[in-house]
Amino acid sequence: MSTLTFYGAAQRVTGSCYLIRSGQQQILLECGMLQGENNNKKGGKGKKSTNKEESAPPFPFSVSEIDAVIISHAHLDHSGMLPLLAKQGYNGPIYMTLQTQALLPTMHKDAAFLQQKDAEWENKRRARAGKRAIEPLYDMDDVERELALCEGMAYGTVSEILPGIRLCFREAGHILGSAIVELWIEDKGETRKLVFSGDLGNSQAPLMRDPAVITEADLLLLESTYGNRDHQPLDQTLSEFSAALDAAAQSGGNVLIPYFAVGRTQDLIYHLGQLYHSGQLKQNNIFIDSPMATSISEIYEQNTRLFNKDDPEFREIMTHDWQQWLPILRFTRSVEESMALNKIAGGAIIIAGSGMCHGGRIRHHLKYNLWRKNTHLIIVGFQARGTLGRLLVDGVKKVKILGSEIAVKAQVHTLGGFSAHAGQSQLLAWAGHMRKAMPRLYLVHGESESMLALQKRFVEEYNWDASIPTLGEVIHF
């Protein structure tokens, strides 16, 4: 009998990791990094996760015994520990979609760079305190070692990755390359099918297609990030977005938007392009201030065939590039180009990382703009406790940025409908296609309150019992 062990994303959102054992073979499904704060069972305040603590080695399993790795998509909470896996000796195949394989070099090299910078900063502090220095989790060599193991697969292709084990990826609609994982496992003459939802996309999102429909499984692992609520309707969010841009134009100030490089930035470019083509956009300059977001956007350009078909004009224009869709858009790669943006007193939209304002170029733009009454800061994503973004959303009056105390006089707008995750009703509808098969259902990748709410809805809607696993729990199937 095969087993599955929940090593991550059990009653928490990040750190996705599951180990499947079938006979003598072992498959690692996901190898994600913990991010933000702990998501404990009560949903209360947890200690902020750091690379040196919870994400640190060793893995809770023997790396040398893993035969294959499967990754659903490129986000770091699903793939970010792969370089460490390679560093610790893993040299087998890592399966993913072709698009995820294209995204990983940019994302993991950026992660390694940040690991190095974090270690340097921490070691300066440790040196002053007379403590031993630490090393980053992994470096560029480890990333290169990992990337050499990656094997991309096309959507819909069924491949035998190990004797008696077949794999197929289906579109999940979350970000480019995101996948639902189908896994058929033969054990003692019987075949069992495991389906892992990965992160399911929001059907309101403009670029990605809706998640593929799957009707049969013996075991279903379902994400539950927004298991306790539905998203605000997109039309309402877009109206709020347009109103905030209009207010900024009227006041003569700049618009700052902290970005999430994969998915969110590209969706924003699309929405801004719609406003531009309809004559509603009053700003004359839009800057994507990030080498990483620029590289990711270029990969999106190369995969427009996977975009939603609802906007044929956009698809036609995007056979060229983003700037054909939005002519006033500029990508800034160099530090010098980024610094030059700080001289712009008004009329610009600046989209820069990081999404929660805890690092990256957005901090420089906040330093030069937050104290201006005519600046408008638009928050388009979740802000974790303890981050600068969360402080600004909560209405703090002064913040310290890059060593300077800055008065917060900018207008802050928080928009809630741009999520790339399925909401509660969408999760129920997608899993509902399997209600005749009624597979064993486990809720993962969500905080406890989200899981409990979704668990209740499954009983109410389908009379279907959903289990909520604990970290380290082992199930047989």
Side-chain angles (χ1 to χ4, degrees):
M1 184 175 289
S2 300
T3 65
L4 183 145
T5 305
F6 296 89
Y7 281 127
Q11 301 184 46
R12 70 194 326 158
V13 171
T14 63
S16 190
C17 186
Y18 317 96
L19 183 65
I20 300 167
R21 291 184 173 91
S22 179
Q24 300 302 310
Q25 300 176 126
Q26 296 191 33
I27 298 172
L28 192 64
L29 175 60
E30 307 279 75
C31 193
M33 179 178 288
L34 283 168
Q35 297 173 306
E37 293 186 341
N38 289 349
N39 298 303
N40 58 31
K41 293 184 179 180
K42 295 182 180 179
K45 293 183 179 180
K47 182 174 64 176
K48 189 174 181 180
S49 169
T50 70
N51 295 338
K52 300 174 289 301
E53 294 169 358
E54 291 183 82
S55 299
F59 289 105
F61 49 79
S62 175
V63 172
S64 63
E65 294 179 2
I66 303 296
D67 298 293
V69 178
I70 300 169
I71 300 298
S72 69
H73 65 286
H75 278 153
L76 294 183
D77 61 326
H78 294 259
S79 73
M81 297 295 276
L82 286 174
L84 180 61
L85 198 73
K87 179 179 181 178
Q88 294 198 349
Y90 178 74
N91 61 1
I94 305 173
Y95 296 101
M96 62 196 66
T97 65
L98 292 166
Q99 292 73 32
T100 296
Q101 185 181 20
L103 291 170
L104 283 192
T106 298
M107 298 186 68
H108 286 184
K109 288 177 182 178
D110 181 74
F113 174 78
L114 293 176
Q115 295 279 350
Q116 182 66 44
K117 290 298 180 182
D118 285 349
E120 290 175 1
W121 182 89
E122 175 66 14
N123 285 336
K124 288 180 181 178
R125 187 186 69 83
R126 284 174 169 257
R128 290 192 295 267
K131 296 181 179 180
R132 292 175 57 185
I134 62 167
E135 294 183 0
L137 279 181
Y138 49 78
D139 58 24
M140 292 297 181
D141 290 339
D142 300 317
V143 172
E144 294 294 348
R145 192 176 294 114
E146 163 234 343
L147 294 176
L149 304 175
C150 294
E151 297 190 20
M153 292 173 54
Y155 285 118
T157 300
V158 179
S159 178
E160 186 172 47
I161 60 172
L162 291 169
I165 300 178
R166 291 174 293 141
L167 168 66
C168 182
F169 292 117
R170 305 287 182 183
E171 289 187 66
H174 175 58
I175 63 169
L176 184 68
S178 61
I180 300 161
V181 176
E182 292 183 291
L183 204 58
W184 294 266
I185 301 172
E186 293 182 18
D187 189 4
K188 297 181 180 178
E190 294 189 60
T191 299
R192 295 286 181 266
K193 181 182 179 182
L194 182 154
V195 172
F196 170 50
S197 69
D199 284 356
L200 294 177
N202 181 355
S203 60
Q204 297 186 110
L207 299 185
M208 297 293 100
R209 295 197 281 253
D210 289 350
V213 171
I214 297 176
T215 60
E216 294 182 346
D218 295 294
L219 177 64
L220 171 60
L221 307 182
L222 176 65
E223 73 119 320
S224 53
T225 311
Y226 288 94
N228 60 342
R229 62 191 184 276
D230 286 324
H231 301 302
Q232 175 178 278
L234 182 60
D235 288 347
Q236 184 178 340
T237 299
L238 291 176
S239 294
E240 293 175 1
F241 186 44
S242 180
L245 295 176
D246 286 347
Q250 188 172 3
S251 68
N254 289 323
V255 176
L256 304 183
I257 306 178
Y259 83 90
F260 294 86
V262 185
R264 197 69 53 84
T265 294
Q266 293 74 35
D267 285 353
L268 282 174
I269 297 174
Y270 172 80
H271 292 308
L272 288 166
Q274 281 191 316
L275 293 172
Y276 174 85
H277 288 287
S278 65
Q280 298 178 64
L281 188 63
K282 298 178 175 61
Q283 282 81 7
N284 295 317
N285 292 288
I286 300 174
F287 300 95
I288 304 294
D289 187 24
S290 163
M292 180 179 174
T294 301
S295 297
I296 297 297
S297 297
E298 289 171 351
I299 296 170
Y300 267 69
E301 286 176 7
Q302 298 159 14
N303 288 274
T304 55
R305 67 189 182 282
L306 296 175
F307 285 2
N308 193 319
K309 297 180 180 179
D310 287 347
D311 191 336
E313 179 188 7
F314 170 69
R315 287 174 59 82
E316 174 61 28
I317 293 175
M318 276 303 298
T319 57
H320 303 287
D321 57 36
W322 290 106
Q323 286 170 300
Q324 289 290 320
W325 171 246
L326 185 54
I328 61 174
L329 177 66
R330 299 292 181 268
F331 291 93
T332 58
R333 286 185 181 271
S334 71
V335 173
E336 290 75 19
E337 289 175 308
S338 178
M339 292 174 64
L341 300 183
N342 293 324
K343 298 177 183 178
I344 301 175
I349 299 173
I350 301 172
I351 303 172
S354 66
M356 296 186 192
C357 307
H358 61 281
R361 294 181 176 182
I362 191 65
R363 293 174 69 88
H364 293 271
H365 301 308
L366 291 170
K367 179 178 179 179
Y368 283 91
N369 287 275
L370 269 183
W371 54 272
R372 303 176 190 267
K373 292 182 179 180
N374 60 357
T375 295
H376 289 252
L377 174 65
I378 301 180
I379 302 293
V380 297
F382 177 75
Q383 305 296 310
R385 294 187 187 94
T387 62
L388 175 58
R390 181 61 174 266
L391 292 174
L392 293 169
V393 167
D394 288 344
V396 68
K397 300 302 182 183
K398 289 184 179 181
V399 292
K400 194 167 186 177
I401 303 176
L402 303 174
S404 300
E405 189 174 80
I406 308 295
V408 181
K409 296 184 179 180
Q411 298 183 52
V412 180
H413 310 263
T414 304
L415 306 184
F418 284 137
S419 176
H421 281 271
Q424 185 190 72
S425 297
Q426 295 167 339
L427 292 169
L428 283 165
W430 181 82
H433 292 289
M434 299 188 209
R435 63 184 180 273
K436 289 184 179 179
M438 201 65 77
R440 290 172 61 188
L441 172 59
Y442 288 84
L443 303 181
V444 297
H445 201 277
E447 297 181 0
S448 295
E449 57 267 30
S450 294
M451 291 182 169
L452 290 168
L454 187 58
Q455 182 186 53
K456 181 180 178 182
R457 287 295 307 277
F458 268 107
V459 173
E460 294 171 348
E461 294 288 326
Y462 305 131
N463 195 27
W464 189 354
D465 291 325
S467 298
I468 299 177
T470 58
L471 199 65
E473 182 175 342
V474 180
I475 63 170
H476 299 264
F477 67 98

